[in-house]
Amino acid sequence: MAQWIEVRARYDKMMENGSVKKVTEPYLVDALSCTEAEARVTEELTPFISGGDFRISSVVTTKISEIFWDASGDRFYKVKVNFITLDEKTATEKRTATYILVQASSFKEAYDNFIDGMKGTMADYEIEAINETKLVDVYRANLASEAEREADKMLRDPKVQRHVKKFVDACAEGGVESVTMTACDGRTVKSATIEIPQKGNKPKPNDNG
């Protein structure tokens, strides 16, 4: 499940009229931690900053549970939606608030995109509010690099390396030349081919005694 973290970056920005203005801009990042989110925003913005002051002013987790994307949209709207359930014991309605971010170019498009994104939802719901945010951009998780980091970490584990050594030794005894191994923790995968060092052929039994 995505964890959306808001990162605010403060830096000297070149304006359209050529002047330089110090601005603070919010970005949203799908990351496992605030540290990772801060590093991601710094990485994304560094190529566009030519000198001057740059710093991360704040990093906070948000309550956004999902994002409805629209590549043609240039703004992000936060929708507060209440899911309605019925308490069977008291026969009263219970409302649970959820926040969904919608990418769109206008308020009307945000509403339409939200309704379209909710198609197929069986639960009853009501829209409480739709507000335009000041988000400059939203960065999805970099799954490929994250998977590689997690897989490398697993392969460096001493316990894993001991098992690999035992397996390689057993393969060498059996004359296997190479083995392709895969590391997986349920969501990350990394494969590697290991060349098996061959031991010298064992002498054949002497039939002459």
Side-chain angles (χ1 to χ4, degrees), residues 66 68 81-84 100 114-125:
E66 191 173 358
F68 294 159
V81 55
N82 295 319
F83 286 96
I84 305 171
I100 296 177
F114 173 79
I115 296 299
D116 187 60
M118 294 297 288
K119 286 182 178 178
T121 301
M122 302 300 293
D124 293 330
Y125 66 88

Side-chain angles (χ1 to χ4, degrees), residues 5-200:
I5 300 174
E6 182 179 298
V7 179
R8 289 182 174 271
R10 183 171 177 78
Y11 65 100
D12 295 329
K13 183 176 183 178
M14 181 70 71
M15 309 306 289
E16 293 182 357
N17 60 6
S19 64
V20 177
K21 181 180 180 181
K22 192 175 293 294
V23 298
T24 300
E25 296 180 334
Y27 295 83
L28 198 65
V29 186
D30 179 6
L32 297 176
S33 66
C34 290
T35 301
E36 181 185 335
E38 179 177 344
R40 177 68 183 281
V41 170
T42 301
E43 177 186 355
E44 294 287 347
L45 295 184
T46 297
F48 305 101
I49 299 173
S50 56
D53 179 47
F54 172 81
R55 64 186 177 88
I56 300 298
S57 60
S58 69
V59 183
V60 295
T61 57
T62 71
K63 295 182 179 180
I64 293 172
S65 61
E66 191 173 358
I67 295 181
F68 294 159
W69 302 93
D70 181 355
S72 64
D74 59 357
R75 304 171 195 173
F76 292 94
Y77 295 80
K78 185 166 70 173
V79 180
K80 182 178 181 181
V81 55
N82 295 319
F83 286 96
I84 305 171
T85 56
L86 183 65
D87 189 321
E88 296 181 355
K89 293 183 179 180
T90 61
T92 57
E93 291 184 344
K94 178 182 178 181
R95 285 168 168 75
T96 303
T98 299
Y99 296 90
I100 296 177
L101 197 68
V102 181
Q103 187 176 14
S105 296
S106 66
F107 183 90
K108 182 180 183 305
E109 283 187 12
Y111 174 82
D112 292 340
N113 290 348
F114 173 79
I115 296 299
D116 187 60
M118 294 297 288
K119 286 182 178 178
T121 301
M122 302 300 293
D124 293 330
Y125 66 88
E126 63 181 11
I127 298 174
E128 182 172 326
I130 300 179
N131 295 304
E132 181 180 348
T133 72
K134 294 183 179 180
L135 290 171
V136 176
D137 208 345
V138 177
Y139 301 125
R140 308 187 201 204
N142 192 342
L143 297 179
S145 61
E146 180 64 25
E148 290 180 357
R149 287 196 296 270
E150 290 295 326
D152 285 336
K153 182 179 179 181
M154 284 188 291
L155 291 175
R156 288 195 300 269
D157 188 295
K159 292 182 180 179
V160 173
Q161 291 182 351
R162 284 197 296 271
H163 286 298
V164 170
K165 185 179 184 305
K166 290 181 180 179
F167 181 71
V168 169
D169 290 343
C171 289
E173 291 288 344
V176 178
E177 296 182 354
S178 66
V179 174
T180 298
M181 306 184 70
T182 300
C184 177
D185 68 351
R187 65 187 180 90
T188 60
V189 176
K190 187 177 182 66
S191 297
T193 298
I194 301 175
E195 299 297 330
I196 306 297
Q198 298 298 302
K199 296 183 178 180

